[in-house]
Amino acid sequence: MRPLFLACLLAVFPVVSTKSPIFGPQEVNIVEGGSASITCYYPATSVNRHTRKYWCRQGAKGRCTTLISSDGYVSKDYEGRANITNFPDSSTFVMNIDHLTQNDSGRYKCGLGINSRGLSFDVSLDVSKGPGPLGDTEVYTADLGGTVTINCPFKPENSEKKKSVCKKTDKGCVTVIDSTGEVNSDYGGRIELEIMGTDQLTFSFIIKQVQLSDAGRYVCQIGEDTIGEKSNVDLQVLKPEPNLLYGDLRGSVIFDCALGSDVENMAKFLCRMSNEEACDVVINTLGKKDRSFEGRILLIPKNKRSFSVHITNLRKEDAGNYLCGAHSDGEPQKGSPIQAWQLFVNEETVIPPSPSVVKGVVGGSVAVFCPYKPKETNSLKYWCRWEDTQNGLCRSLVESDGGVTEQYEGRLALHEEPGNGTYTVILNQLTANDAGFYWCLTNGDTHWRSMVKLQVVEGEPSLKVPNNVTALVGETLKLPCHFPCKYYSYEKYWCKWSNKDCKILPSQGEGPSDAFVNCDQNSQIVSLSLDPISKEDEGWYWCGVKNGLRYGETMAVYVAVKEKVKGSQDVSQVNAAPGEEAVESNVRKVESKVVQNPRLLVDNVAVETGDAAGGNRASVDTSSSAGQSGTSKVLLSTLVPLGLVLAVGAVVVAVLRARHRKNVDRISIRSYRTDISMSDFENSRDFGANDNMGASQVIQETTLEGHDECSAATTTTEKTMESEEPKKAKRSSKEEADMAYTAFLLQTNNMAADVQEGHGEA
């Protein structure tokens, strides 16, 4: 029975041509004397809103004669009973026609522009005979799926006789029901025979859940078939006009299903007609969903009698015939309440294309561009995450008026830019749990809703910032952000995040501010400086890039600000990534190198500091005091050994000059006077090979009284003296000078080694 039931339903849905962007009802069924209201849809463009709309009747030769149009024309046949109204906001126009007769049955077109242009839709209008007597036959009409009560009169003398109803077929008049309890199997469970009291001269039979096959001629009989009293009935079943739904490609539609009070405790569903034997469930309240609609469909109960189904990111293949209904098993069954829908997808859409899938790396970010109706700039915009619950659920995460879900604080922002029909949502600090489906929504036109699928993949973010930063109140904080060459031409920025927005900090030179941004293109770093930092500066900061008004990648860093404790040292710190070196550690490297080679001081400080900036993550300069302390240590460790070397050198020079004059008892040149005691030089070997600091005992008295005495004394010391004891070998002054110089070098190396060893222990 179910295939037959679905076949009857398919008769309601004629095939729809999708060549034209104009859409309307393909069939309209009206009872004679009634009225028809026919709605046709058109693409929402400025030209279409203002162009001519018409309703014409097709003739035998294909000509379509205008009956009524939006420019004021009304044919003589339609005068006083028809009108046409354009609704530009909803991109529809409606024809209202009253006092219909069977002569109005025929083929029509609703369209735009000129009749022969092809921007039209074919409509079939069928006006049937209304209820009432037609000769000896009483005519009844019933809606498909509804209930009809048919009355059968009889004469008083036949009140005690058998009552029955039969339906005329090719095989004769087949009994449907009688007063003895017999019921035809085709009507089982949905037909009743009602007999009033003996004082009444009619009986009734009631058909529930009327089907198309119930239409036909019935005979009411009193008594036996051949000789009893009879009356004729004609039942016409009216096909319900399916609810029309017009959607744009990439847009969104809503099925509003109202089924009545009989479905309060039943499972609700929406199914799509695929063929005569199947209506495939798209979604139901028992948790079943079609995989082709995953992430882009929601079922929202309104009350126990009605619900709505939202579908976004419409595709061409979504066009077709749908049923919404209710049944205990969540699927359409014979006799279950249903509502028919016909969905048309306009491929000449005004909704701009946007990526349906975006990808981001773990720890990185994504920027999602959401479309909205350009005229609704001031509408509330929000972003929600679709969840695969029983009916589907979309929890709001951020709104344009300043609301952010607590668990997304510091990592989610909604920007009105670039505007003109598009806003931007940025989500950073991505994790694998962020993968899923998200919806872009506004409180305006629901046709502009869209969905995006977020995929989180392996990789490294392009931007590099510190993980965490702690600073003291009153100090200078400098946050670096490294960016790759691919972003060289992009605008780089720092902004401070809040639950309302992420306000971009002003660039240097734009006005007085405690925060400014400067960029070093050579090292590809953009830095944020806060000088001095205060407790109000604590919070999330974003480094990002943008191309014009379109936002790109971002990275976030949290800055914690602590009060400075009196007498404490600088505790500002950064938790850097592995493999990263702070500036202070590089200064210590420089100190070690300077001790070995003081001439490397300037070059090495520059090189090591540059190396620190080239790590995987950026280091932070929280104040200038650390650099000054490192410089003082370098100068101290350099000047001390240099002073010692110079002192030793001075002593050695004095010893050498004294040795050249060792055999002179008393020399007086002009005002230069020197006293030398030869007894102090008992053994020149002892002087040359032992402690050269003893040379200070040689000089007893020295008086300098002029510049010329120095040169004279130098000339005098060049003379040599021979010993009074020729048998005892004595070294020449040249040999003794060489030995003294050798002792000087040994002493200098020992002192330098001691200084270096002590520095290493420190």
Side-chain angles (χ1 to χ4, degrees), residues 149-164:
T149 300
I150 299 173
N151 297 317
C152 300
F154 58 86
K155 296 177 181 180
E157 59 268 25
N158 296 325
S159 60
E160 299 296 331
K161 294 181 179 180
K162 176 184 174 183
K163 282 80 175 174
S164 64

Side-chain angles (χ1 to χ4, degrees), residues 363-628:
S365 67
V366 291
V368 178
F369 300 100
C370 297
Y372 64 90
K373 196 171 185 177
K375 289 186 176 181
E376 298 177 344
T377 303
N378 297 324
S379 62
L380 175 67
K381 305 166 185 69
Y382 49 105
W383 204 54
C384 68
R385 180 170 185 173
W386 183 88
E387 297 180 11
D388 190 13
T389 59
Q390 190 174 42
N391 302 331
L393 180 66
C394 206
R395 297 184 183 276
S396 179
L397 303 181
V398 61
E399 299 179 359
S400 57
D401 63 353
V404 178
T405 303
E406 183 178 358
Q407 69 184 88
Y408 286 86
E409 287 187 355
R411 55 191 297 251
L412 182 62
L414 189 152
H415 296 285
E416 296 282 355
E417 292 83 1
N420 194 30
T422 305
Y423 65 92
T424 307
V425 176
I426 297 177
L427 177 64
N428 58 32
Q429 305 173 60
L430 291 175
T431 67
N433 293 331
D434 292 321
F437 299 93
Y438 297 82
W439 284 33
C440 300
L441 308 168
T442 72
N443 63 351
D445 192 343
T446 59
H447 290 87
W448 286 73
R449 293 177 175 177
S450 62
M451 178 275 294
V452 64
K453 183 178 182 180
L454 171 58
Q455 295 179 348
V456 180
V457 298
E458 293 297 327
E460 289 291 331
S462 297
L463 304 180
K464 307 292 182 182
V465 297
N467 286 331
N468 297 293
V469 175
T470 302
L472 296 180
V473 172
E475 294 183 343
T476 297
L477 176 66
K478 189 174 183 180
L479 292 173
C481 176
H482 293 257
F483 60 91
C485 293
K486 66 179 180 180
Y487 291 140
Y488 181 83
S489 62
Y490 282 56
E491 176 186 350
K492 273 72 69 176
Y493 67 90
W494 276 94
C495 66
K496 186 176 182 182
W497 181 92
S498 69
N499 60 359
K500 293 183 178 180
D501 58 10
C502 193
K503 186 177 181 181
I504 295 181
L505 301 177
S507 60
Q508 189 175 10
E510 291 185 356
S513 174
D514 291 336
F516 63 88
V517 176
N518 58 77
C519 184
D520 182 356
Q521 295 286 5
N522 293 326
S523 60
Q524 299 176 346
I525 299 175
V526 58
S527 299
L528 169 68
S529 295
L530 299 173
D531 184 17
I533 193 169
S534 63
K535 193 66 178 176
E536 290 74 20
D537 294 323
E538 187 171 73
W540 286 99
Y541 290 83
W542 287 14
C543 168
V545 296
K546 57 188 299 190
N547 189 6
L549 295 176
R550 298 182 72 85
Y551 286 86
E553 189 173 352
T554 61
M555 286 291 285
V557 57
Y558 187 81
V559 175
V561 180
K562 295 184 178 180
E563 296 289 345
K564 182 178 291 186
V565 181
K566 188 175 182 180
S568 65
Q569 296 182 356
D570 182 8
V571 297
S572 301
Q573 64 181 10
V574 177
N575 294 335
E580 193 177 292
E581 296 182 359
V583 173
E584 184 176 353
S585 64
N586 286 282
V587 171
R588 292 196 182 102
K589 289 183 180 180
V590 174
E591 293 175 11
S592 176
K593 293 184 178 181
V594 167
V595 170
Q596 300 176 32
N597 192 347
R599 277 181 276 181
L600 294 177
L601 175 61
V602 177
D603 294 339
N604 280 357
V605 170
V607 170
E608 294 293 336
T609 305
D611 291 342
N616 293 331
R617 304 278 290 188
S619 60
V620 177
D621 180 12
T622 56
S623 70
S624 61
S625 60
Q628 294 173 355

Side-chain angles (χ1 to χ4, degrees), residues 254-274:
I254 300 175
F255 295 84
D256 284 316
C257 301
L259 302 175
S261 58
D262 296 336
V263 301
E264 291 185 3
N265 299 318
M266 297 183 183
K268 315 301 188 296
F269 65 84
L270 177 73
C271 66
R272 181 180 178 182
M273 303 291 294
S274 57

Side-chain angles (χ1 to χ4, degrees), residues 704-724:
L704 302 176
E705 295 181 0
H707 299 288
D708 293 336
E709 285 112 8
C710 294
S711 58
T714 303
T715 304
T716 303
T717 56
E718 291 177 355
K719 299 178 181 180
T720 58
M721 303 294 294
E722 295 184 2
S723 175
E724 295 179 357

Side-chain angles (χ1 to χ4, degrees), residues 1-10 275-278:
M1 294 299 295
R2 182 177 177 182
L4 178 61
F5 164 70
L6 294 175
C8 294
L9 289 177
L10 279 176
N275 53 53
E276 293 185 1
E277 298 183 358

